[in-house]
Amino acid sequence: MKASDRAYAALRDDIVEWRLPPGTVLGEVEQSERLGVSRTPLREALARLTAEGLASAQRGRGVVVSDISLAHIDELFELREALESKAAALAALRGDRELFAVLRDRFAAAPALLNDDDPQRHEYYALAAELDAAIDAAVGNSYLAQSLEGLRVHLTRVRRLAKDDAARLRQAASEHAAIAAAIADGNAHLAAAATAVHLSNSLNHIKSTHTTPTPHIREVSHG
């Protein structure tokens, strides 16, 4: 892996997982030393992050991790509904019905994954990612899949603004099961509608429970 790709992947993951929260200054010297790369590949990585909207250049401060606001969330979900509803409809027309029937059943059993042994809900979110990947593959449209991939990076950050409670995730599992069931039945209209319902509920949950982290702008230290 190229040094710039390695730096990009590390910074992207740190931003998405909120180890580098909004407002963090991504100083070239500090980040170069922390990631073990020279400043040239680091600049390339920062340029990619800026192009994706995960970072932004600010006069007098350099590159910082971009902010997230409720206004941004509304815009993200407007785009998300358009893309994901269309993708679900196309998957219903083009996808492997048996595969989505299996995913339907796995989501029906998903509440068992929501336990205190996995407070970060890694298993549940891995299952949700499987559904996303299955829909992307079924659509067979590289442009749509690429657009969704870029959007989901921001949605992962947004998820951290909401209280990640088990009750909402059980409801979400039921909604995901309905999407998978509609695709398995080959019902494009129902797949799109089930997706729209899920996204509406997700947005309402984020808005009603979001907890904006305490702002703190800092240079990232070594280590």
Side-chain angles (χ1 to χ4, degrees):
M1 183 182 291
K2 291 169 52 181
S4 59
D5 291 338
R6 188 171 68 253
Y8 163 77
L11 287 170
R12 183 178 181 272
D13 189 57
D14 284 343
I15 291 171
V16 168
E17 294 299 326
W18 285 73
R19 290 187 290 270
L20 294 175
T24 300
V25 178
L26 302 175
E28 288 187 7
V29 174
E30 291 78 9
Q31 291 302 316
S32 293
E33 294 184 2
R34 184 175 77 93
L35 299 174
V37 299
S38 66
R39 295 175 69 174
T40 297
L42 179 70
R43 290 191 189 110
E44 294 177 9
L46 293 177
R48 290 176 64 182
L49 293 168
T50 301
E52 291 182 353
L54 293 174
S56 61
Q58 296 186 3
R59 184 187 295 268
R61 297 180 59 217
V63 178
V64 302
V65 177
S66 60
D67 194 13
I68 295 178
S69 69
L70 287 180
H72 293 152
I73 293 171
D74 279 328
E75 293 174 1
L76 285 171
F77 270 78
E78 286 175 0
L79 179 58
R80 187 183 184 188
E81 181 175 351
L83 295 178
E84 292 198 8
S85 294
K86 182 63 176 179
L90 290 174
L93 298 175
R94 302 171 181 173
D96 180 342
R97 295 189 180 187
E98 291 185 6
L99 171 61
F100 286 98
V102 170
L103 286 168
R104 174 200 61 205
D105 294 342
R106 291 177 65 191
F107 273 108
L113 301 177
L114 305 174
N115 57 64
D116 293 336
D117 293 334
D118 183 19
Q120 297 300 316
R121 316 302 188 194
H122 290 115
E123 288 189 67
Y124 176 80
Y125 287 121
L127 178 57
E130 281 190 52
L131 177 61
D132 288 340
I135 291 174
D136 290 351
V139 166
N141 183 320
S142 61
Y143 296 104
L144 180 55
Q146 185 176 9
S147 296
L148 283 168
E149 181 182 0
L151 178 64
R152 287 175 185 139
V153 174
H154 296 281
L155 293 171
T156 301
R157 293 181 76 203
V158 165
R159 193 175 72 214
R160 293 301 186 92
L161 295 179
K163 293 180 180 177
D164 208 8
D165 61 277
R168 169 55 199 154
L169 291 180
R170 282 192 290 270
Q171 180 186 7
S174 178
E175 293 161 5
H176 280 126
I179 295 169
I183 296 174
D185 290 340
N187 191 326
H189 292 296
L190 184 57
T195 300
V197 167
H198 169 62
L199 297 182
S200 177
N201 289 339
S202 296
L203 179 58
N204 289 336
H205 175 71
I206 290 171
K207 285 187 168 183
S208 65
T209 66
H210 84 284
T211 54
T212 304
T214 302
H216 59 289
I217 299 171
R218 61 185 176 85
E219 295 282 350
V220 177
S221 60
H222 306 323

